[in-house]
Amino acid sequence: AYTTDTKSREENKKTIESLYRLSVDIKKIRRLKEWVLLQDVAYVKEIAGILQEMGADESAVANILERCPEAILHTPAEINSQRALWQLVCQNEKQLIKLIEQFPESFFTTEYHENQKANILFFQELGLKNNIITRFLTSAPNIFYNPVGKNKNLIETLQRNYLRLGGSNANMKIWILKLLSQNPFILLNTSTAIQENLEFLQKNDFTDDEVLQLLSKLKGFIFQLTSTTMQKSMLFSKNVFKCSDQELKQLVLKCPALLYYSVPVLEERLEGLLKEGISVAQIRETPMVLELTTQIVQYRIKKLSALGYDIKSGTLESLNGTKKDFEVSYGKIQSKKERPIFNPVAPLHIED
């Protein structure tokens, strides 16, 4: 509960002096979070001392406080508790200070300390490795703010549905851990939303096995959608590709992006491909090309065209995949083009 009323307050001179001594760029703080400098109480020396104890040098301390100046408003006791908490999953203080440098906001959010602790212990019990939990703490800190009961309830909903869809007890733990590792934000959903989305797929004639396939292929992102957006996306694809419900289902299984992306995104990507002279029939044959942004598609077509490869008459497979996949395809086409027409060491059969 810090005041953000800047008009009637003056900067705390003691705070300014302490930050100045630590070579902190005060102008940067004024520009981004001036309200921090107006608070009556701040623990600049103490927080800097704790960071130095953990192994942060002068420039690291200055960098942390510039990026997350509200750190100085926490008491040393709060920060030491947070330090002990993160040490449950960090190998050592060297790793911890490195994480704080990269993600200061995540570390200095101490309001949910008890929830954070309960969730860390729960994830460890579940079998998640500490390096995965540290990744969650830095990239998806919100999931630790939930009461542990909510996260447990959600995991139980996923486990129950996995078994209901035909998954085996033996594989369930691996499936859950993989799903969480790929997309921890699943935990920000509600059990109701998960249930509704799975029911939507089943109503659209996806078999239990196909629903499990989609969950794994979409890395759980399906739970961040609604049945309305999925319905619209499927209808859009059905109209574009002029296909039956059964054919549409096969296209979605081949390319789950048709279900995941909203209509405006699919429209924009489709238009981008058509402008390059690619036909709807080609896209239907290789729908995975819609997973790529228009900019990536244009860049790849340009590179292939420079090798004399005509995308309009060929397959779109060479455009597909990750950056690494594309580089492999491109390399194969390039080496094919550069290969000599005859083998210089082979004997020439010349008729007498």
Side-chain angles (χ1 to χ4, degrees):
Y2 305 115
T3 179
T4 51
D5 176 16
T6 56
K7 286 173 191 169
S8 59
R9 309 283 306 268
E10 276 186 16
E11 286 182 355
N12 184 327
K13 286 191 174 68
K14 195 179 166 192
T15 301
I16 302 285
E17 281 165 20
S18 301
L19 288 168
Y20 186 72
R21 279 193 209 106
L22 290 165
S23 306
V24 173
D25 184 344
I26 294 156
K27 282 181 188 169
K28 197 173 180 182
I29 298 178
R30 279 193 185 113
R31 195 170 68 247
L32 300 172
K33 292 181 180 176
E34 193 193 17
W35 58 272
V36 171
L37 305 173
L38 309 178
Q39 306 310 315
D40 295 331
V41 180
Y43 302 92
V44 183
K45 287 178 196 167
E46 295 86 341
I47 303 309
I50 293 169
L51 292 171
Q52 284 160 347
E53 252 175 59
M54 283 192 266
D57 60 20
E58 191 184 324
S59 70
V61 171
N63 182 36
I64 291 166
L65 298 184
E66 280 166 16
R67 286 184 58 197
C68 185
E70 56 270 41
I72 63 173
L73 304 178
H74 293 292
T75 66
E78 285 173 332
I79 299 310
N80 278 321
S81 295
Q82 197 73 340
R83 175 184 179 177
L85 183 64
W86 281 47
Q87 278 174 326
L88 293 172
V89 287
C90 285
Q91 294 165 353
N92 48 43
E93 292 214 310
K94 191 181 174 185
Q95 188 201 4
L96 175 54
I97 199 67
K98 202 174 170 185
L99 286 175
I100 297 171
E101 274 188 77
Q102 289 175 291
F103 308 95
E105 290 86 357
S106 301
F107 179 78
F108 289 108
T109 301
T110 62
E111 291 85 337
Y112 306 93
H113 185 80
E114 289 310 312
N115 284 357
Q116 285 183 353
K117 187 173 185 176
N119 279 307
I120 285 174
L121 298 174
F122 166 59
F123 291 141
Q124 286 177 327
E125 278 166 35
L126 200 61
L128 277 170
K129 292 194 170 77
N130 283 343
N131 64 326
I132 301 287
I133 300 174
T134 53
R135 204 180 80 216
F136 288 2
L137 276 168
T138 53
S139 60
N142 300 18
I143 66 172
F144 293 88
Y145 308 159
N146 285 339
V148 72
K150 182 185 181 295
N151 285 341
K152 274 183 181 170
N153 185 22
L154 229 121
I155 297 289
E156 282 162 14
T157 302
L158 287 167
Q159 289 171 327
R160 206 168 41 247
N161 279 295
Y162 177 74
L163 294 174
R164 184 176 63 80
L165 293 165
S168 71
N169 256 312
N171 289 333
M172 183 170 71
K173 187 179 175 180
I174 295 166
W175 183 79
I176 282 285
L177 294 181
K178 190 178 177 185
L179 204 60
L180 276 176
S181 304
Q182 290 172 326
N183 179 15
F185 297 104
I186 291 172
L187 295 169
L188 297 178
N189 296 296
T190 64
S191 299
T192 317
I194 286 177
Q195 211 66 51
E196 280 174 2
N197 284 3
L198 294 176
E199 280 167 17
F200 166 81
L201 292 172
Q202 287 174 306
K203 278 177 197 163
N204 278 274
D205 294 329
F206 285 94
T207 64
D208 290 353
D209 188 50
E210 286 167 346
V211 172
L212 271 184
Q213 261 187 65
L214 280 172
L215 290 189
S216 301
K217 278 187 178 178
L218 279 168
K219 302 173 182 174
F221 284 108
I222 198 162
F223 300 130
Q224 282 154 243
L225 307 172
T226 66
S227 51
T228 315
T229 56
M230 287 192 280
Q231 186 72 61
K232 284 178 180 170
S233 296
M234 283 175 75
L235 192 62
F236 172 77
S237 298
K238 190 179 177 183
N239 291 336
V240 166
F241 298 120
K242 297 180 173 49
C243 55
S244 67
D245 289 345
Q246 190 54 33
E247 287 168 330
L248 176 65
K249 198 178 85 163
Q250 291 312 313
L251 281 173
V252 169
L253 287 169
K254 204 173 174 184
C255 175
L258 295 176
L259 193 67
Y260 177 68
Y261 288 120
S262 65
V263 172
V265 171
L266 290 171
E267 248 173 350
E268 186 212 339
R269 292 184 179 186
L270 191 79
E271 273 172 32
L273 289 162
L274 296 176
K275 271 181 193 165
E276 295 293 336
I278 292 164
S279 68
V280 171
Q282 280 177 297
I283 300 166
R284 183 174 166 167
E285 197 60 41
T286 316
M288 294 79 75
V289 78
L290 290 166
E291 291 172 5
L292 305 169
T293 65
T294 305
Q295 289 80 359
I296 291 172
V297 166
Q298 285 169 341
Y299 167 77
R300 291 183 181 184
I301 289 174
K302 203 172 173 184
K303 280 200 82 170
L304 290 169
S305 297
L307 292 179
Y309 184 88
D310 183 14
I311 205 77
K312 292 170 211 166
S313 56
T315 167
L316 300 185
E317 286 294 337
S318 48
L319 280 181
N320 262 351
T322 61
K323 187 180 177 187
K324 198 177 174 184
D325 295 334
F326 173 71
E327 278 164 7
V328 170
S329 298
Y330 178 78
K332 281 179 185 170
I333 295 167
Q334 193 175 31
S335 61
K336 211 171 179 182
K337 184 179 160 61
E338 287 168 0
R339 202 175 295 146
I341 295 161
F342 67 96
N343 184 341
V345 293
L348 293 175
H349 298 288
I350 303 165
E351 287 182 24
D352 294 329

